[in-house]
Amino acid sequence: MAAVKTNEPDSLRSPRSEHVTGSPNSDDAGILCGTQLSPKCTFHSKKTTINALPIIVDFRRLLMVDNKNAVEVVPGIPNRELLHAVIALYNTSLSEMTPEVLYATVCERWSRSVILLRDVKECIEELEQKRLKTNDCFSTLCEAGLEAEESGDSDDLPALVTQTTVGESELTGDSDGTDVQKVDSTESSEDKGDVFEPQDEPRSIFADVFSEDEDDDDDEEEEEDGEDEEDFSQGVHSFIQATAVRKLAQMSHVGPLTAHHIGIENRLIAATTLKKTYCKHEKLTHLTVLAVRKKFRQAGIGKYLINQVKDPAVSGLYEAIVVHADHSAVAFFKKYGFTDDLILNSKWASIAEQFTNCTLMSYLPPYTGHSIVDENAPKVDIMTMQRDIDKWKQKSLEAYQAEIVCMTRLQAEIVHLRMMVDTQQQLIDSMARKNEMLHSDKFFAEKQLMEYKISMAITSFNDPPSDEEDINTDQLIENLEKVAKLTQSRKSVTAAETFLLSRGAFAADTVYDHGKDIEEFYKVSQVFLEAMKNDRCSLGFYEVRSVTKAMLPDEVMDAYSQRLESLRQPDMVTRLYYCGGADRPQRMLNILKTGFYTSDFTDGDYGKGLYFSKFPSRAAEFSVLGKLIIAEVGLGNIESVTTKDKKRKAAQEGHDSIVTPGRLTAGSDNIITSQSQEFVLFSAVQAVPLYLLEYAPKTK
């Protein structure tokens, strides 16, 4: 390769360049925006031999140079026409990419395009052969037209004869057709209206530029991959008109064709655009677009363009080449050393996120030959290889150290949790023993009470009543039997037994145990007091005045049990404080008897539902002063929500409840903490009240 990269990141210098662009009067006079890469290249396909001239162009810098002083990269072809032809090739081959995107990609900062232009003589020969085929067909149609005219059937003249005749008269100034009409794209480009405008039409504006390619049925071997101050699409409509005029002129011209009849759309064979970029402080070459005209495929042109992109003399030094390949082109890029490894390519995932429906692939260059200095300097490659090996060793060591640290900490955490479980088990055993002692004390106390009542009854029986009172012995014995029966075994009609019976805690004929309720009330009170003590949002100390247990009917508990079974995660059940009731204080006691209704829903910032919190101070902000309801809540699969929506009536699909950062109140100074979190339910039967806790500030 003759091209050598200069200190400028977006320019190439070549001592063999045939055409150089740049304004001699500007500061960029020494920077080349377009140059020839090498002498003509020859490609061989099944049908023909193709000679092409490779050039590399920086369209952005080329077109921002003063047009009056700019030199044409391709003699006889305006620079803007060269750009429009490249865009037309890309758009014809890559229909999913719009011209608007292609102009921005090709003319982006740090982008270069490698272009292959066919030899002019070969283009003339191909057009002459095409004209011969067309003229034979035209002669046949003319003969058919003359026969129809002689027979009087002039209405049946072939339409092609009429259209061709009109085309000749419009495109030729003389009878011999040598004066070909030409559209000046340079002047047209100055017209502000002659630019590309995005439109909703399904057909591209470049559909007719390379329309002759559609007749070629060769199998595809190689495919594409995949804040400007100036509008680079200026002159696009004039270019399209000029191509149409040239096509008709080529077919209608009388006599041999000359180079004057050949346009850039006839010479352009293939092109690729690459861009220098950085990702995680690594130099990358991003192969953005690659396209080969259909009739020139299977000739090794795609391979040639890939090798040009790989060459450091063209792309500069790079750590990797990244391409977003169309799914049908993955095999093509794999053939030339690209990999689609997901883990490796995730490193470049941030490159060109606008590419969709494609496969991210990358090429990692070898150590040998990946340099623009003297190739006979093996020490440079060895040093680079050793540097990468040392880096790999360091990263591997760090990963191993991180694994050991994690495993060690997990082991310590397991030991700690095991100790906590053992401690809790000891506490449970101790409480069980105390519970047995309390049951024994209760039994003796009830026995003494029964004996006392019997002794009092006997005393009243032995003392003779006054004359006015009659002693009813049968009634006295009946009363004694009732006292003994109620003392030894009585059936509960309180809310506690109703709740426990519905949960299957004990059979209907089991003796009700007051000690269990007392123990549970004490535990609930201690949990509340401990939470208020550790809550930094709580002011002062409190004491529990009373704990009232809920008395729920069986149908409420049955509905709650059925709701738990329908949750995505039925085991996600916990006790929470009800954040509501301040607006309807009379409902606090009724909730203990009927459960929650939809009328108890709160119109909060995160939707209409039942709000709960695991912090009593948070729930107290929305409850009646000095009263809190403790409920058992089935959370199920919880959705985390941070966006406020007062119209929300349910969690998203696949979730049973939501957790929010909490509603702000005037008393919280608009400070959001973890203790402000609230859980929201959208079903009234997804929670049941357990206790109504009444508390007050502790007095000294």
Side-chain angles (χ1 to χ4, degrees):
M1 284 297 173
V4 180
K5 186 175 183 296
T6 66
N7 294 331
E8 291 291 334
D10 59 343
S11 63
L12 293 173
R13 299 179 182 272
S14 175
R16 301 182 188 177
S17 300
E18 295 182 0
H19 307 290
V20 178
T21 63
S23 174
N25 299 326
S26 64
D27 296 336
D28 295 335
I31 299 177
L32 308 185
C33 301
T35 181
Q36 180 179 331
L37 283 177
S38 64
K40 291 182 179 180
C41 304
T42 302
F43 304 96
H44 300 280
S45 64
K46 296 180 180 179
K47 295 183 178 181
T48 183
T49 298
I50 306 167
N51 293 308
L53 177 69
I55 62 173
I56 184 168
V57 182
D58 184 341
F59 280 109
R60 178 184 177 85
R61 303 191 65 177
L62 177 67
L63 298 178
M64 292 181 69
V65 175
D66 186 5
N67 290 331
K68 296 181 180 179
N69 298 323
V71 180
E72 295 174 344
V73 176
V74 181
I77 304 298
N79 294 329
R80 285 196 178 271
E81 282 199 9
L82 180 61
L83 170 63
H84 298 323
V86 172
I87 300 299
L89 172 61
Y90 286 159
N91 184 248
T92 303
S93 302
L94 312 172
S95 58
E96 66 274 8
M97 297 185 69
T98 63
E100 183 181 14
V101 174
L102 290 172
Y103 274 110
T105 301
V106 174
C107 299
E108 191 176 3
R109 189 182 298 273
W110 317 123
S111 292
R112 305 187 187 100
S113 298
V114 179
I115 305 171
L116 285 177
L117 300 178
R118 194 178 185 185
D119 185 72
V120 177
K121 294 181 180 179
E122 291 185 2
C123 294
I124 294 176
E125 293 176 359
E126 181 182 2
L127 288 176
E128 290 289 359
Q129 294 176 0
K130 188 174 182 180
R131 290 178 62 192
L132 289 176
K133 295 180 181 180
T134 305
N135 289 336
D136 292 342
C137 178
F138 179 73
S139 300
T140 303
L141 292 174
C142 287
E143 292 176 0
L146 292 175
E147 293 177 358
E149 186 177 2
E150 291 176 357
S151 62
D153 298 332
S154 58
D155 294 339
D156 297 333
L157 283 174
L160 179 60
V161 177
T162 306
Q163 293 174 0
T164 306
T165 306
V166 174
E168 291 180 354
S169 63
E170 290 179 351
L171 297 174
T172 57
D174 299 330
S175 59
D176 58 357
T178 57
D179 186 10
V180 180
Q181 180 179 350
K182 182 178 180 181
V183 177
D184 190 351
S185 62
T186 304
E187 295 179 359
S188 300
S189 64
E190 296 176 356
D191 184 6
K192 295 184 179 180
D194 192 8
V195 296
F196 171 76
E197 296 181 359
Q199 51 190 349
D200 297 332
E201 296 181 3
R203 189 173 185 270
S204 171
I205 61 172
F206 297 111
D208 296 329
V209 176
F210 298 108
S211 58
E212 70 274 8
D213 288 355
E214 302 302 327
D215 299 332
D216 198 321
D217 296 330
D218 291 345
D219 295 335
E220 297 184 11
E221 174 194 8
E222 43 209 21
E223 283 288 345
E224 79 286 353
D225 69 335
E227 63 208 347
D228 294 336
E229 298 83 358
E230 182 178 351
D231 187 354
F232 294 101
S233 65
Q234 290 183 0
V236 61
H237 295 292
S238 298
F239 165 73
I240 295 174
Q241 294 174 4
T243 58
V245 169
R246 279 193 292 267
K247 284 185 179 181
L248 293 177
Q250 291 165 0
M251 303 307 297
S252 62
H253 178 69
V254 178
L257 295 175
T258 63
H260 180 69
H261 297 87
I262 304 301
I264 186 62
E265 70 277 4
N266 303 115
R267 298 188 61 188
L268 184 59
I269 296 176
T272 183
T273 299
L274 54 101
K275 175 188 174 184
K276 298 293 293 182
T277 185
Y278 288 85
C279 181
K280 298 180 180 179
H281 307 290
E282 294 189 11
K283 296 180 181 179
L284 299 179
T285 295
H286 186 200
L287 179 56
T288 53
V289 196
L290 187 150
V292 180
R293 291 178 64 175
K294 183 182 295 184
K295 66 180 180 181
F296 296 113
R297 294 171 185 172
Q298 295 187 349
I301 297 176
K303 177 181 178 181
Y304 174 82
L305 293 177
I306 291 293
N307 291 335
Q308 292 296 319
V309 176
K310 292 180 179 179
D311 192 345
V314 176
S315 301
L317 295 178
Y318 56 86
E319 300 291 336
I321 299 176
V322 180
V323 60
H324 290 77
D326 188 79
H327 299 312
S328 61
V330 171
F332 166 74
F333 284 101
K334 281 186 176 181
K335 183 178 178 181
Y336 299 111
F338 285 78
T339 176
D340 59 350
D341 186 88
L342 292 176
I343 298 177
L344 172 62
N345 292 317
S346 62
K347 188 176 183 180
W348 331 113
S350 61
I351 299 297
E353 296 179 350
Q354 68 270 21
F355 287 88
T356 57
N357 297 327
C358 55
T359 302
L360 180 60
M361 306 182 70
S362 62
Y363 168 80
L364 302 178
Y367 294 103
T368 304
H370 184 58
S371 173
I372 59 176
V373 297
D374 186 7
E375 296 182 358
N376 299 322
K379 292 184 178 180
V380 177
D381 298 332
I382 294 175
M383 292 174 61
T384 304
M385 186 185 307
Q386 187 62 41
R387 181 196 62 188
D388 288 348
I389 292 175
D390 293 340
K391 184 189 297 184
W392 172 77
K393 289 181 178 179
Q394 181 65 26
K395 294 292 185 182
S396 299
L397 178 61
E398 292 177 358
Y400 175 75
Q401 291 172 344
E403 290 176 0
I404 293 299
V405 169
C406 182
M407 294 299 297
T408 304
R409 297 183 67 179
L410 284 176
Q411 184 180 11
E413 185 69 16
I414 292 173
V415 173
H416 176 68
L417 292 175
R418 187 63 185 176
M419 293 177 60
M420 291 181 60
V421 170
D422 294 340
T423 303
Q424 292 178 355
Q425 186 61 43
Q426 294 175 3
L427 180 60
I428 291 173
D429 295 340
S430 175
M431 295 179 65
R433 289 192 295 269
K434 291 182 178 180
N435 189 31
E436 292 178 359
M437 294 176 62
L438 290 173
H439 279 294
S440 179
D441 294 342
K442 176 191 173 187
F443 173 75
F444 287 111
E446 290 181 347
K447 183 179 179 181
Q448 292 176 359
L449 176 61
M450 182 184 63
E451 292 176 351
Y452 171 76
K453 290 183 177 181
I454 292 175
S455 63
M456 291 297 295
I458 293 174
T459 302
S460 61
F461 177 76
N462 293 331
D463 292 339
S466 60
D467 296 338
E468 293 81 7
E469 296 180 358
D470 295 331
I471 298 177
N472 191 340
T473 306
D474 296 335
Q475 184 66 34
L476 179 59
I477 295 174
E478 184 179 352
N479 291 338
L480 289 174
E481 290 177 353
K482 288 182 179 180
V483 171
K485 186 176 181 180
L486 290 174
T487 305
Q488 294 177 0
S489 175
R490 74 179 186 86
K491 293 188 176 294
S492 173
V493 293
T494 62
E497 184 177 83
T498 304
F499 178 75
L500 293 174
L501 280 173
S502 62
R503 300 297 298 272
F506 52 82
D509 56 350
T510 304
V511 178
Y512 173 69
D513 192 349
H514 293 279
K516 290 184 179 180
D517 272 354
I518 296 173
E519 182 181 354
E520 182 67 17
F521 294 163
Y522 176 78
K523 183 187 298 185
V524 170
S525 301
Q526 291 301 314
V527 171
F528 168 78
L529 295 175
E530 189 69 19
M532 295 294 283
K533 178 180 178 182
N534 297 330
D535 191 348
R536 58 186 177 185
C537 298
S538 177
L539 301 176
F541 299 93
Y542 297 87
E543 61 180 358
V544 177
R545 296 291 179 86
S546 65
V547 177
T548 305
K549 204 163 188 177
M551 297 182 297
L552 299 174
D554 293 341
E555 54 268 19
V556 174
M557 298 308 302
D558 292 341
Y560 173 64
S561 300
Q562 293 176 4
R563 178 59 179 169
L564 288 183
E565 294 176 358
S566 66
L567 298 180
R568 276 76 174 179
Q569 296 182 11
D571 55 339
M572 285 296 295
V573 180
T574 186
R575 288 187 178 185
L576 299 174
Y577 295 93
Y578 174 52
C579 301
D583 54 340
R584 302 177 65 187
Q586 69 278 4
R587 273 287 297 165
M588 297 293 282
L589 287 175
N590 292 335
I591 290 177
L592 298 182
K593 300 177 182 179
T594 63
F596 293 104
Y597 287 167
T598 55
S599 59
D600 299 318
F601 283 9
T602 302
D603 293 325
D605 294 337
Y606 297 91
K608 186 174 183 179
L610 297 175
Y611 284 71
F612 295 91
S613 174
K614 57 183 177 180
F615 301 101
S617 62
R618 182 62 177 171
E621 297 179 10
F622 306 97
S623 183
V624 179
L625 182 62
K627 293 183 180 181
L628 281 179
I629 289 181
I630 303 174
E632 181 178 302
V633 180
L635 296 176
N637 190 16
I638 307 172
E639 174 192 4
S640 297
V641 173
T642 57
T643 304
K644 295 182 178 181
D645 184 5
K646 293 185 177 181
K647 297 182 180 180
R648 185 183 285 108
K649 295 183 180 180
Q652 287 190 0
E653 184 69 24
H655 299 84
D656 305 301
S657 61
I658 65 174
V659 58
T660 72
R663 297 164 289 175
L664 295 179
T665 59
S668 61
D669 296 330
N670 292 338
I671 299 177
I672 300 177
T673 65
S674 61
Q675 295 183 350
S676 300
Q677 288 183 346
E678 291 180 277
F679 297 88
V680 185
L681 307 181
F682 300 96
S683 174
V685 298
Q686 201 167 326
V688 291
L690 298 180
Y691 309 100
L692 175 61
L693 188 145
E694 299 185 27
Y695 63 95
K698 190 174 183 180
T699 57
K700 297 182 179 179

